[in-house]
Amino acid sequence: MNHPLAWLSHLFKDAYRSFVRTLLIIGFAMLTVLAIAYLQHTIRRSAAEVDYLFDNTVIFGEIVHGETLDANPRQPTMGVFVTQRTVDLFIDSGFVRSIYLEAGEPRNRLYPHNANIDTSTIVSELFRMINNDMILAINDLEGFITRNTIGTTAHEETDSRFTTDMDLVISFADGFSYEDFSFVASTSIPVPIPVIIHEHILARRGLAIGETAQLVSQSRDIHDVVIIGSYTVGPIMSAAMFNNDPLILMPLDALKSISPRDVAYVIVEFTIYSSFNREIPRVREVLNGYALRAGAGRVAPLLLMIYDDEIRLVLRPMEQTLNLLTMLYPIAFATLALLSLGLAVIMLLQRSKNAAIFRSLGATKLAVRVAYAGGYTLLCIIGAVPGMLITQFLLIDIDAALLVHIAIPFACAIVGAVIGAVIISARPPLELLQVKE
Amino acid sequence: MLKLENVSYRYKNSSVDVLKNISAIFEPGKVHAVVGPSGSGKTTLLSILAGLDRPASGNITVQDKDMAGIDLDQYRREHVSMIFQAFQLFPLLTAVENVCVPMQLSGEGLNKKGQETAKRLLESVGIDSDKHKRYPSNLSGGEQQRVAIARALSSSAKIILADEPTGNLDAANGKAVIDILKRLAHEDGYCVIIVTHNYEIAEASDVIFKMSDGVLAVLGD
């Protein structure tokens, strides 16, 4: 059969007449391709998902009262005064992507623009918190609105706690908008401070939006303000802000420019750059160092809260699972490669007697080796092709890297087939064909 | 004709000759028996005669050609055919397909002519046409050995080497096989060499060689 067609005819008959053996070889080749492709795809997709989640998860944090043991530590507690130095350290750490700050200044009173003001009398009352207007300075008006907006309209309930209007609503005067809520101090030309005032204060002080007014502080200074808008909230929202006191909302930079002493913050909330999501423990350690140092807070000790549950409870386990899969893959891959080689050798050894008969009939060693190794390789290809097609059907991209991974067990199968073919053709035929006495 | 002159053989890494200066002539038209006990060197002689190995020393000529100058694979395809005690048919090929294999090894047998030749050879050894497409597992021992003989006849070889051809057969089938081999020798001019330890078969042969401790001697003619 030094005629290729004769060998092909023999191999074809051998293949379809030993159906189970053939099915095993083809099936193993197909399943090997599928297994490798699926494992690779799963690892890649999982890695991409984990990377995406790490890169896009926003981790929030805040500085709260160090002695707060409330069920809701997010409830601002009077006495949480974070110094500017602490906030600067947080910002300069390079970890903080954005920061939301609120600072309070309780002892102030508004007057209409043309009112006569007796500062000596006022300051005494302000010191005793009589008839005062509280300033809430914020660095992000939209952030403030978001924090104080539920965003849904409650259904009507008999419980008086619930109303149909729970959101903070800002009404701007004509010609004013969110963009006007900003302040840049100037020593040459006094700039009126833009403020947004609770409707109750407007009513109490006889003011209207769009007007200018005078703000008297406990340091006896009088500052011009322009009322760019007013706001209202539902009762439940009012309860979230400073014991129901209506507030004067002021840009933080404005308060810093008029306050006689360093501003201390009652709310410090921040987000962390996603690039540090994998290093939250280190971030926590550094920021904790700033929050716990002496003088970090003006009145009470501080507590740093970083809300990384999503990372700890979801992403880290995902990452560990991925790491496990990544670690197991080489073992599975090596196992498949060795099985491919071993199966090929075993399947070829099953044809030892046939090879010996061929040799006794005059077939050359080379012809026997090429025929049997080639026949096995052909069966592997017949199995690998549907495996690749199914892989494509499952929307798994077959790229060069995956092809290499698939090719290696296939190459091992060929090596095994060659080894087997060499063994069966090298053994003396009479050893296999003679009946031992 | 197959002629051995002072043929000796020893296995690799062995200092002992398994075949010692064997000289013999195996002639066409005769049945030759080589008898001897186990370990006498019959298998080794069989390997040499079958072209599965070359002698360490001495000459073997086949049809007046020195075997040293012939490729062993070619020798097995063209000069000698083997019949085994355990028949050694391809289990996944039918009787006809088994007989076609030696022809295919020589580049023939793929066409209808080869199939017809195979069928004719099967019928010549007593395998009826209704059994031509049966697999060996569906044939009796005697029938399998006849198929093996037909396969041996399908090549161009004129030397038939039979290794215990009746070892797995009952007396009736064994006699039938020996009769076929005798007919091939006496009527068709084949050189038949039977290697056996069965002296009854040897006595039915034309020439008897005795193998003892690596030495071959003619017992009777």
Side-chain angles (χ1 to χ4, degrees):
Chain A
M1 257 122 85
N2 299 327
H3 199 294
L5 278 181
W7 279 110
L8 279 174
S9 169
H10 174 78
L11 291 171
F12 177 70
K13 288 172 193 164
D14 186 273
Y16 84 75
R17 290 175 187 177
S18 54
F19 185 71
V20 173
R21 176 181 178 272
T22 302
L23 201 62
L24 177 64
I25 297 168
I26 292 174
F28 187 80
M30 186 172 71
L31 289 174
T32 298
V33 169
L34 282 173
I36 291 174
Y38 182 73
L39 281 172
Q40 272 285 300
H41 172 72
T42 301
I43 290 172
R44 287 184 200 178
R45 190 180 62 183
S46 299
E49 281 176 2
V50 168
D51 286 344
Y52 176 82
L53 288 172
F54 264 112
D55 292 342
N56 291 279
T57 299
V58 179
I59 300 299
F60 294 90
E62 64 177 341
I63 302 175
V64 299
H65 196 297
E67 295 170 3
T68 299
L69 294 176
D70 294 341
N72 178 10
R74 296 177 73 90
Q75 177 72 29
T77 305
M78 288 303 292
V80 181
F81 295 106
V82 182
T83 63
Q84 181 67 49
R85 173 66 183 149
T86 302
V87 168
D88 289 341
L89 284 172
F90 267 61
I91 294 171
D92 293 341
S93 70
F95 297 134
V96 172
R97 187 182 77 170
S98 66
I99 193 162
Y100 175 78
L101 302 168
E102 286 185 9
E105 187 57 61
R107 297 180 176 87
N108 307 279
R109 189 181 295 169
L110 271 175
Y111 284 94
H113 178 68
N114 56 354
N116 289 322
I117 302 171
D118 179 4
T119 56
S120 58
T121 306
I122 295 167
V123 166
S124 167
E125 291 176 352
L126 289 178
F127 184 78
R128 288 175 287 157
M129 304 276 281
I130 296 172
N131 196 15
N132 66 317
D133 299 321
M134 173 160 315
I135 291 173
L136 182 67
I138 53 183
N139 70 333
D140 180 4
L141 180 60
E142 289 191 17
F144 174 79
I145 295 169
T146 303
R147 292 182 80 250
N148 295 285
T149 302
I150 292 179
T152 58
T153 302
H155 56 280
E156 290 187 1
E157 291 284 351
T158 55
D159 191 330
S160 61
R161 288 182 304 150
F162 292 93
T163 68
T164 57
D165 182 3
M166 302 175 77
D167 291 347
L168 181 146
V169 176
I170 296 180
S171 302
F172 286 98
D174 288 342
F176 291 100
S177 68
Y178 290 97
E179 290 163 357
D180 296 301
F181 193 80
S182 64
F183 180 81
V184 177
S186 169
T187 54
S188 57
I189 303 172
V191 179
I193 298 169
V195 294
I196 298 172
I197 302 178
H198 196 286
E199 282 189 348
H200 291 174
I201 298 179
L202 287 179
R204 190 163 68 207
R205 302 300 180 206
L207 297 168
I209 61 173
E211 292 179 350
T212 55
Q214 300 174 87
L215 180 71
V216 182
S217 67
Q218 64 169 331
S219 60
R220 299 176 189 237
D221 294 322
I222 300 175
H223 305 281
D224 289 331
V225 299
V226 56
I227 306 170
I228 68 171
S230 67
Y231 77 92
T232 58
V233 289
I236 198 166
M237 282 295 99
S238 294
M241 289 188 291
F242 291 96
N243 302 318
N244 272 346
D245 289 337
L247 303 167
I248 299 171
L249 303 180
M250 177 184 291
L252 181 61
D253 290 337
L255 181 64
K256 284 182 181 177
S257 73
I258 65 174
S259 179
R261 57 178 181 172
D262 285 343
V263 169
Y265 300 96
V266 295
I267 287 181
V268 177
E269 293 178 352
F270 55 90
T271 60
I272 296 172
Y273 281 114
S274 299
S275 57
F276 293 106
N277 280 351
R278 285 188 160 89
E279 301 174 61
I280 294 298
R282 181 172 76 92
V283 171
R284 190 193 303 276
E285 186 182 349
V286 171
L287 296 182
N288 238 355
Y290 300 151
L292 296 178
R293 80 189 203 292
R298 186 173 289 170
V299 175
L302 304 178
L303 179 65
L304 173 71
M305 302 290 290
I306 295 181
Y307 303 103
D308 61 341
D309 288 358
E310 198 171 341
I311 287 181
R312 282 188 304 108
L313 301 178
V314 177
L315 291 187
R316 286 281 176 221
M318 277 178 71
E319 199 175 37
Q320 283 168 0
T321 302
L322 174 62
N323 289 341
L324 183 64
L325 195 59
T326 306
M327 196 174 63
L328 288 175
Y329 174 77
I331 298 171
F333 181 81
T335 303
L336 280 172
L338 285 173
L339 280 175
S340 297
L341 189 146
L343 182 69
V345 172
I346 291 171
M347 288 292 144
L348 267 291
L349 289 180
Q350 282 188 336
R351 291 293 179 263
S352 294
K353 232 176 194 178
N354 281 12
I357 297 172
F358 273 118
R359 295 275 291 120
S360 71
L361 294 175
T364 61
K365 277 185 186 175
L366 180 63
V368 170
R369 288 170 184 173
V370 169
Y372 279 106
Y376 190 88
T377 302
L378 197 59
L379 289 177
C380 287
I381 293 174
I382 291 171
V385 167
M388 306 272 271
L389 291 174
I390 294 172
T391 299
Q392 286 280 62
F393 178 73
L394 293 174
L395 302 178
I396 297 175
D397 283 334
I398 300 179
D399 57 9
L402 184 57
L403 270 178
V404 168
H405 282 250
I406 290 172
I408 291 173
F410 186 73
C412 288
I414 295 175
V415 168
V418 169
I419 292 172
V422 167
I423 291 173
I424 64 175
S425 61
R427 289 176 72 173
L430 278 185
E431 267 189 28
L432 292 161
L433 302 180
Q434 261 202 326
V435 173
K436 298 288 185 286
E437 293 174 4
Chain B
M1 183 174 71
L2 186 61
K3 185 176 176 184
L4 280 66
E5 289 177 298
N6 300 318
V7 168
S8 295
Y9 183 86
R10 67 173 64 166
Y11 290 106
K12 283 179 189 171
N13 303 323
S14 171
S15 58
V16 177
D17 281 344
V18 180
L19 299 179
K20 299 168 184 172
N21 280 323
I22 291 176
S23 295
I25 295 176
F26 300 95
E27 295 173 291
K30 289 187 179 178
V31 178
H32 309 79
V34 177
V35 296
S38 298
S40 58
K42 295 199 312 294
T43 301
T44 308
L45 178 63
L46 193 67
S47 298
I48 300 294
L49 294 177
L52 294 170
D53 210 341
R54 292 192 190 275
S57 63
N59 295 319
I60 301 178
T61 52
V62 57
Q63 313 292 19
D64 297 323
K65 292 179 195 168
D66 191 346
M67 196 169 151
I70 303 173
D71 173 63
L72 288 182
D73 296 324
Q74 182 187 4
Y75 171 78
R76 290 195 301 278
R77 283 195 304 273
E78 297 175 2
H79 294 281
V80 66
S81 298
M82 284 204 70
I83 299 168
F84 297 93
Q85 179 178 351
F87 325 129
Q88 304 300 3
L89 300 175
F90 292 105
L92 294 176
L93 298 182
T94 63
V96 167
E97 289 167 347
N98 264 283
V99 175
C100 285
V101 170
M103 288 188 275
Q104 290 166 353
L105 281 171
S106 301
E108 303 162 11
L110 278 172
N111 51 21
K112 218 168 169 133
K113 185 182 168 192
Q115 297 260 318
E116 293 302 322
T117 303
K119 289 175 183 175
R120 181 174 50 77
L121 288 170
L122 283 169
E123 284 174 4
S124 75
V125 296
I127 300 294
D128 297 331
S129 58
D130 59 333
K131 294 176 185 170
H132 288 181
K133 289 194 176 178
R134 288 192 189 178
Y135 292 100
S137 57
N138 295 331
L139 298 170
S140 69
E143 289 167 341
Q144 289 186 57
Q145 194 61 294
R146 290 166 198 255
V147 173
I149 294 172
R151 183 177 69 183
L153 298 176
S154 70
S155 72
S156 57
K158 284 299 182 183
I159 302 170
I160 294 177
L161 192 57
D163 177 30
E164 301 282 5
T166 62
N168 279 11
L169 303 177
D170 57 35
N173 277 308
K175 184 178 180 307
V177 165
I178 295 300
D179 286 345
I180 293 172
L181 291 174
K182 284 167 76 172
R183 176 170 58 79
L184 290 173
H186 297 155
E187 294 181 19
D188 298 328
Y190 281 85
C191 173
V192 177
I193 305 170
I194 302 173
V195 174
T196 182
H197 62 263
N198 187 328
Y199 280 88
E200 284 185 19
I201 292 173
E203 284 171 9
S205 307
D206 301 317
V207 181
I208 305 172
F209 292 92
K210 186 172 189 311
M211 191 81 186
S212 175
D213 198 23
V215 177
L216 191 70
V218 177
L219 259 191
D221 197 334

